[in-house]
Amino acid sequence: MVGSSHEALHRIFQKDPALLTRALQRVLDVPFPEPHEIAALNVDLTEIEPVERRVDTLLRAETGEGTYLLVVESQGKVDDRKRGSWPYYLSYLYEKYRCEPVLIVITQNSATARWASQPIRLGFPGWHSLTVRPLVLGPDNVPVITDERQAEQDVPLAVLSAMTHGRGPQAAPILESLATALKTIDPDSAAVFVQFVDSCLADPQAKQMWRDLMTAIQYFWRHPLAEQVREEGREQGRTQAKAEMVLRVLEWRGIPVPEHVAERVSTCEDADQLELWAQRAVRATAAVDLFVEE
């Protein structure tokens, strides 16, 4: 089951696609050409046969040296099934778009990073028919940013640092420097980054520290994806806030919301139902997917 941590790890690149190519250049020292345009593509790789296959994030990067497909996979743990799915993704995307695909894996776990970085070789020893070499961003190569000025110079990279390293004794200076840096960018972007970090922090102490920092500067409560609301006194206010959250999740993800869907969500007074719709909205590909089991 896809969790909020998995979602946040790859959605940061949808918020700031240029962060991905900067990470390849600065973190992995991969001489990826400077893109002059980056566009998000459909992540659904399902064929005519009823087998569903999806990548986490798919971006098209236009560069002076050609067009590349940036295939981003968020990996929480070792999963040997990926040895078959990743080569499939790349082959299918090349056939569909006729662009060179580049596989980037992002993880918070060092052991998973080491596993993911191993080449996938298909064929017999000494003569491999296909070799896949993932580029991996993880805690062993993403920089730890604890300096406020450094965080201000590249806020998205500081966000990635917090998402990757936000645990243990180094969590406090990382989160504090990022909290300061968020004040220097526009509130809407800051609010999105706040939720990315909140979703990725598995350490309860670090998560509480982050929420305390964000509550102080009123970012956490402004974000449309926040799962809590500040006002908890009136049931009507809570259900209304949840209904607005469902619609704003779809809006933030770029999914059109027909009038009949907006009306059904806005008039719903069942808090549990709205909570279920909010969870579906995070993974929906169309607004009507909210009601798929109904």
Side-chain angles (χ1 to χ4, degrees), residues 76-230:
K77 60 182 179 180
V78 173
D79 184 356
D80 287 331
R81 292 177 300 177
K82 294 297 184 180
R83 292 186 58 82
S85 61
W86 284 343
Y88 169 84
Y89 293 165
L90 301 182
S91 299
Y92 175 83
L93 288 169
Y94 179 76
E95 176 64 22
K96 180 177 181 179
Y97 293 101
R98 290 297 171 176
C99 300
E100 298 291 345
V102 180
L103 175 61
I104 300 112
V105 179
I106 178 171
T107 181
Q108 297 172 299
N109 184 278
S110 295
T112 302
R114 290 191 294 271
W115 163 80
S117 64
Q118 296 300 311
I120 300 172
R121 298 186 175 94
L122 304 182
F124 61 88
W127 192 271
H128 299 109
S129 301
L130 176 64
T131 300
V132 176
R133 298 177 60 194
L135 296 169
V136 181
L137 293 169
D140 295 331
N141 53 21
V142 173
V144 176
I145 299 179
T146 58
D147 180 75
E148 294 179 4
R149 291 187 178 181
Q150 187 180 1
E152 292 173 4
Q153 291 174 358
D154 196 336
V155 175
L157 188 59
V159 172
L160 185 59
S161 174
M163 294 166 63
T164 309
H165 299 284
R167 64 182 66 183
Q170 59 188 356
I174 291 175
L175 298 179
E176 289 170 359
S177 64
L178 176 58
T180 300
L182 288 175
K183 300 176 185 178
T184 65
I185 65 175
D186 68 278
D188 290 338
S189 294
V192 173
F193 288 147
V194 165
Q195 186 63 19
F196 285 157
V197 175
D198 184 81
S199 298
C200 278
L201 293 175
D203 182 352
Q205 189 173 10
K207 184 183 287 285
Q208 187 58 52
M209 180 191 308
W210 180 242
R211 292 188 174 185
D212 289 343
L213 288 168
M214 294 302 98
T215 301
I217 58 176
Q218 298 183 348
Y219 274 140
F220 180 75
W221 304 107
R222 296 176 55 181
H223 195 272
L225 299 184
E227 298 177 353
Q228 301 180 30
V229 290
R230 177 180 286 180

Side-chain angles (χ1 to χ4, degrees), residues 7-81:
E7 286 287 305
L9 277 174
H10 65 86
R11 289 200 180 282
I12 185 176
F13 298 120
Q14 296 177 6
K15 172 61 183 174
D16 182 12
L19 171 62
L20 192 54
T21 55
R22 293 203 308 275
L24 295 181
Q25 296 164 351
R26 302 178 188 179
V27 178
L28 298 180
D29 198 27
V30 173
F32 191 86
E34 191 69 29
H36 54 76
E37 181 182 348
I38 297 181
L41 301 179
N42 191 339
V43 300
D44 193 344
L45 308 186
T46 305
E47 300 183 74
I48 297 176
E49 296 296 325
V51 178
E52 183 178 344
R53 301 178 187 271
R54 295 177 184 272
V55 295
D56 289 329
T57 292
L58 180 61
L59 304 170
R60 183 180 61 230
E62 303 285 351
T63 77
E65 301 177 18
T67 302
Y68 296 90
L69 297 177
L70 304 179
V71 187
V72 184
E73 282 283 275
S74 175
Q75 194 66 29
K77 60 182 179 180
V78 173
D79 184 356
D80 287 331
R81 292 177 300 177

